[in-house]
Each structure stands twice: as structure tokens, then as C-alpha cells.
């Protein structure tokens, strides 16, 4: 919240339906929480998690409820839940200018098909020059505070990838 002072935060499980409350597993290690109970964390070590029940919504509903009509950046890192979240998102209506998805190898075929079906370019690997994309957003007039938050997030992702001893096929 300190890095994104102008942002609002919502606690929802974003999926392909809304209006219910469903289980979510909050893990003791950052970045491992998920709709599925995590068995292991970094280094394949056993990890503890807490089952909580959270409200469910679709991304489209969340955006509509908050009167968002366009997206500069759609960023997803939701531990394998991307297909369900995207099923609840009208991407053709919101037309994000930049999409960044960190996904598990098992979801790569789905994502490639999804982007192709919606006329979007094939996703690039993390080694792609994301700084050029941020510069393009800057040229389109995205506010400096939002660009700074994007740069900070990208640096954190790159740092995590660099520190990771095992890299997935999506990260190559």
C-alpha cells in the first residue's frame, strides 16, 4: 500500500462466477496462497496454510462495480487460477494495453489459445524487454505514480526469478 498510495485494494477470490463464498488457503510463505491447499513451498519444503472463506467475484464484475471502463495493465500472478479468472473477464470489452501473466507450465497452452482467440499477441517470456512496454505506457499518458508501481512490481518479479533455482518452461 505504501508503493501504491492511490490504489484501492479488494479481498476477493476472482474466478468465473460470483455471489458466493469459497475456500482459499493462505500459506505461511508469500506467493504460495491459492484456491488449492499448497503442499510445499520454496525448495519443495512442506508448508503450513490456513483455510479461510472469502467472497467470490469475476474480474468483470469487480471492474464494473468500481466503474472501471479501461485498463492500462492487467497483471496476474494467481498461482494457477488464471484460466478461471480469465473466464470471468470480458477482455474484448476492457482491452488492456499491456497484459502480464505469471503462470504455471500447466496453463501455458490455455493462455496461448486464450490470447490467440482474443486477437492478442502471443505472450513473451520474462526475458522480453518489459521496460520498452512500460515506456510505451508512459508515451500513452499513464500517470507517473502508476508507472513507478509497475516498475517496482517488475523489479520484484525479476528479482524472484533470478533467485529461483528452478525455472519453468514459461520462464525460459
Amino acid at each position: 500500500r505504501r508503493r501504491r498510495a492511490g490504489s484501492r485494494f479488494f479481498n476477493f477470490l476472482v474466478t468465473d462466477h460470483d455471489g458466493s463464498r469459497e475456500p482459499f488457503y493462505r500459506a505461511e510463505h508469500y506467493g504460495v496462497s491459492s484456491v488449492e491447499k499448497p503442499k510445499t513451498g520454496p525448495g519443495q519444503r512442506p508448508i503450513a496454510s490456513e483455510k479461510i472463506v472469502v467472497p467470490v467475484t469475476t474480474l468483470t464484475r469487480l471492474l464494473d462495480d468500481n466503474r472501471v471502463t479501461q485498463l492500462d495493465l492487467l497483471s496476474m500472478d494467481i498461482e494457477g487460477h488464471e484460466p478461471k479468472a480469465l473466464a470471468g473477464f470480458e477482455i474484448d470489452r476492457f482491452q488492456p494495453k499491456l497484459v502480464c501473466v505469471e503462470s504455471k507450465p500447466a496453463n501455458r497452452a490455455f493462455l496461448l489459445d486464450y490470447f490467440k482467440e482474443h486477437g492478442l499477441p502471443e505472450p513473451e517470456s520474462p526475458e522480453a524487454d518489459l521496460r520498452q512496454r512500460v515506456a510505451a505506457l508512459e508515451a500513452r499518458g499513464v500517470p507517473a505514480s502508476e508507472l513507478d508501481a509497475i516498475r517496482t512490481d517488475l523489479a520484484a518479479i525479476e528479482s524472484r526469478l533470478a533467485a529461483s533455482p528452478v525455472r519453468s518452461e514459461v520462464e525460459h
Side-chain angles (χ1 to χ4, degrees), residues 13-17 35 56-63 71 73-96 98-104 106-118 120-121 123:
L13 169 58
V14 176
T15 190
D16 59 355
H17 59 280
V35 296
V56 172
T57 192
T58 65
L59 186 52
T60 293
R61 173 83 183 251
L62 182 61
L63 295 171
L71 293 176
L73 170 67
L74 171 65
S75 178
M76 289 185 162
D77 179 4
I78 51 178
E79 304 308 314
H81 201 67
E82 296 84 8
K84 287 206 175 194
L86 289 170
F89 177 50
E90 296 174 34
I91 196 167
D92 297 326
R93 187 173 121 206
F94 290 97
Q95 298 182 3
L98 176 63
V99 177
C100 181
V101 179
E102 184 175 332
S103 71
K104 298 192 178 294
N107 289 337
R108 180 135 173 94
F110 168 85
L111 290 169
L112 292 173
D113 290 345
Y114 179 87
F115 289 121
K116 184 177 180 181
E117 177 183 326
H118 293 280
L120 298 168

Side-chain angles (χ1 to χ4, degrees), residues 24-34 38 47-50:
F24 182 81
Y25 296 90
R26 183 172 41 206
E28 65 183 346
H29 187 275
Y30 174 79
V32 184
S33 299
S34 177
I47 189 166
S49 63
E50 171 189 12

Side-chain angles (χ1 to χ4, degrees), residues 94-161:
F94 290 97
Q95 298 182 3
K97 294 175 182 147
L98 176 63
V99 177
C100 181
V101 179
E102 184 175 332
S103 71
K104 298 192 178 294
N107 289 337
R108 180 135 173 94
F110 168 85
L111 290 169
L112 292 173
D113 290 345
Y114 179 87
F115 289 121
K116 184 177 180 181
E117 177 183 326
H118 293 280
L120 298 168
E122 183 174 319
E124 297 181 17
S125 70
E127 284 80 14
D129 189 0
L130 294 175
R131 299 212 178 343
Q132 285 183 340
R133 292 179 178 199
V134 173
L137 289 174
E138 186 173 25
R140 293 179 186 157
V142 173
S145 61
E146 291 181 36
L147 292 169
D148 289 343
I150 292 168
R151 287 183 183 106
T152 299
D153 288 346
L154 289 173
I157 290 168
E158 289 170 345
S159 176
R160 273 194 328 221
L161 290 174

Side-chain angles (χ1 to χ4, degrees), residues 31-71:
V32 184
S33 299
S34 177
V35 296
E36 296 177 12
K37 184 175 177 141
K39 295 177 179 89
T40 59
Q44 300 303 310
R45 294 186 189 103
I47 189 166
S49 63
E50 171 189 12
K51 180 181 176 181
I52 60 175
V53 178
V54 296
V56 172
T57 192
T58 65
L59 186 52
T60 293
R61 173 83 183 251
L62 182 61
L63 295 171
D64 284 345
D65 286 353
N66 289 280
R67 298 186 189 105
V68 175
T69 58
Q70 70 177 36
L71 293 176

